[in-house]
Amino acid sequence: MDKQQILSDLYPEDVYGFSQKLTEIEVELLSKLRQVLEDQIAPTLKQHWKEETFPFEAFKAVGDLGLMNHPDLFKESQHPYKVSEYFNLFRYYELARTDMSLATFMTVHAGLGFTTLLQGGSQEQIDYFAPKFTSFEWQTCFALTEPDHGSDIAGGMATTAVRDGDNWLLNGEKRWIGGAGSADFIPTFARNPENNDILCFMVSTATEGLTVEKIDGKIALRLVQNGHIHLKNVQVAEAFRLPKIQSFRDVSRILYATRADVSHITAGGHAGALRAALKYTGQREQFGKKVSQFQITQEKLARMQANAATGLSLSYRLAELQTEGKYAEVPASIAKMQNARLLRETVALGREICGGNGITVDTEVARYFGDAEAIYSYEGTHEVNSLIIGRYLTGFSAFV
């Protein structure tokens, strides 16, 4: 099959053909990713959802595909560690289409954590960490939010970093840190109380004084192992401080750079919920015919498809802007806000047309229904993104 046929089989919901921008090697890798997801991970998702566990062993096959370091991905790249923005879009899209927890795990590692290194680190630090991260030999994540400070973390960060000779002593807590329990190194943000600068340190999870408590009982992203981190006199060498992060402005650059990744995840969530709903309604019979044959069902499916097309188009435009070097905060916030808002509608429609069975993970759509709530709030809540857009429109900041 040629590339167009492969993509048609992979993404039938891509009615505008955005995936045609992908290269042949990118399509090949995405096809392999689909195979791994369908054969090794999808059959276990229901059980992992129930048990709130992550398929670490099976996910190794995803890391081995070279989604971050396959040499053919960089033939036309001017950056040694960044894949094309179109491939970046579809690797998150593909993962989220199967399960948004898988995509979230990936973006915490390949998005937030890795971007922190690339934007904040020295060349020596990048050369040391990047090969380990891109090969998945080492896992990373992103420790910013705290128990009492989420959206107001810019002015309320309580975790401190105090200079002690050639080292720093970190004290405080971080909460909702996805992947913290399994990470090898965690970019950890802390405030220097001497001058209130916001600093970032690559903290080894083997460091004495660092402990991670798993957060249980979630209704969304149940596979993601969110952690509550405790830092008690954690000693970190100055060599592991990322020198290009000195203020929350630097942190914001990381957040809006990776906000596109969340838009891509929501786009994949639309497609996954649509796929699950089509599967169910194509099999379920009521009143003597399949549920998919009823007019009201087809109207809801049509709205889900329209949302999926909208989500993918917004993400595609972000990828274009990133490729052209024109990416900015407001377009990223619009895409994340709108895609996440529409995702709530998409998964609700999917749940509706699956009837009572739609509340069980047996129909798959329930996973998307639950996960949409977390996606709506993370990487900039709906409210925060709307205020970024409002500031642009009016010229007034309404954050406080």
Side-chain angles (χ1 to χ4, degrees):
M1 290 189 293
D2 61 16
K3 185 180 82 169
Q4 185 171 350
Q5 183 58 54
I6 294 171
L7 289 171
S8 179
D9 291 345
L10 282 175
Y11 308 120
E13 70 281 354
D14 179 20
V15 294
Y16 291 100
F18 295 116
S19 56
Q20 291 296 323
K21 192 74 173 181
L22 295 163
T23 66
E24 289 187 5
I25 183 60
E26 290 170 343
V27 173
E28 180 182 339
L29 284 173
L30 290 167
S31 296
K32 290 179 179 178
L33 175 57
R34 172 68 62 85
Q35 202 67 50
V36 169
L37 293 173
E38 288 186 345
D39 294 347
Q40 301 186 42
I41 297 182
T44 70
L45 289 175
K46 182 170 67 173
Q47 195 62 31
H48 282 294
W49 173 274
K50 291 179 178 179
E51 297 176 357
E52 293 188 79
T53 55
F54 190 85
F56 286 109
E57 285 302 313
F59 199 83
K60 288 179 181 178
V62 173
D64 291 342
L65 290 173
L67 300 179
M68 292 181 69
N69 66 353
H70 194 294
D72 289 344
L73 292 175
F74 301 92
K75 284 184 175 179
E76 299 181 10
S77 174
Q78 298 184 6
H79 194 291
Y81 294 116
K82 286 183 69 66
V83 300
S84 81
E85 297 300 341
Y86 303 107
F87 181 70
N88 184 58
L89 187 171
F90 277 95
R91 68 179 175 184
Y92 288 120
Y93 184 90
E94 178 65 43
L95 286 163
R97 198 177 184 276
T98 297
D99 183 81
M100 286 193 282
S101 284
L102 301 178
T104 297
F105 177 86
M106 183 71 169
T107 195
V108 168
H109 173 79
L112 286 166
F114 193 50
T115 300
T116 301
L117 171 68
L118 296 182
Q119 289 195 8
S122 66
Q123 191 58 53
E124 183 180 10
Q125 290 169 331
I126 292 171
D127 291 342
Y128 176 73
F129 284 105
K132 302 287 189 181
F133 289 165
T134 57
S135 67
F136 287 85
E137 182 178 343
W138 288 347
Q139 182 202 324
T140 187
C141 58
F142 185 81
L144 176 64
T145 55
E146 299 178 348
D148 297 322
H149 301 285
S151 294
D152 72 340
I153 191 68
M157 187 176 295
T159 300
T160 59
V162 175
R163 188 69 183 259
D164 181 24
D166 292 332
N167 301 308
W168 293 82
L169 292 178
L170 272 60
N171 283 279
E173 299 176 58
K174 298 292 180 179
R175 187 167 175 82
W176 294 114
I177 312 306
S182 56
D184 298 286
F185 283 89
I186 303 177
T188 304
F189 296 86
R191 180 177 54 83
N192 181 351
E194 289 189 3
N195 52 22
N196 284 326
D197 285 352
I198 302 299
L199 308 177
C200 184
F201 303 84
M202 297 298 289
V203 182
S204 167
T205 52
T207 307
E208 184 177 354
L210 185 151
T211 57
V212 180
E213 175 187 351
K214 179 185 173 185
I215 300 173
D216 291 316
K218 299 182 298 176
I219 67 164
L221 299 177
R222 286 170 60 84
L223 278 66
V224 176
Q225 305 298 286
N226 289 96
H228 186 129
I229 300 174
H230 299 266
L231 302 154
K232 185 174 182 179
N233 291 325
V234 172
Q235 184 172 284
V236 185
E238 164 67 11
F240 285 83
R241 180 179 67 83
L242 301 183
K244 296 180 182 178
I245 297 176
Q246 301 179 23
S247 69
F248 199 82
R249 185 181 298 274
D250 300 322
V251 182
S252 295
R253 286 191 298 110
I254 297 167
L255 292 173
Y256 87 72
T258 57
R259 195 157 287 155
D261 297 345
V262 184
S263 175
H264 305 338
I265 290 172
T266 60
H270 287 295
L274 175 61
R275 174 191 56 80
L278 284 168
K279 178 182 176 182
Y280 179 83
T281 58
Q283 297 172 347
R284 175 74 166 174
E285 290 190 4
Q286 291 287 280
F287 303 102
K289 58 182 179 180
K290 295 186 185 303
V291 173
S292 61
Q293 293 178 274
F294 289 94
Q295 288 182 347
I296 196 166
T297 299
Q298 292 194 6
E299 187 273 343
K300 292 179 180 181
L301 289 169
R303 287 162 62 190
M304 294 175 74
Q305 169 64 82
N307 286 349
T310 300
L312 191 51
S313 66
L314 285 170
S315 273
Y316 180 82
R317 183 55 183 152
L318 287 184
E320 281 187 324
L321 291 172
Q322 288 173 309
T323 301
E324 296 166 3
K326 300 176 182 177
Y327 180 77
E329 184 176 41
V330 172
S333 290
I334 290 173
K336 194 279 174 174
M337 183 190 76
Q338 182 71 347
N339 268 351
R341 186 183 69 81
L342 288 178
L343 182 60
R344 272 180 153 183
E345 178 184 80
T346 298
V347 298
L349 290 168
R351 210 290 307 158
E352 286 175 21
I353 60 179
C354 291
N357 290 331
I359 68 170
T360 74
V361 291
D362 291 330
T363 62
E364 296 185 72
V365 76
R367 282 190 289 108
Y368 297 96
F369 185 87
D371 290 348
E373 288 304 298
I375 305 297
Y376 186 76
S377 293
Y378 77 35
E379 193 73 24
T381 63
H382 174 86
E383 291 77 11
V384 165
N385 279 301
S386 68
L387 290 176
I388 290 171
I389 300 163
R391 181 177 60 194
Y392 163 77
L393 291 172
T394 67
F396 296 104
S397 176
F399 282 90
V400 293

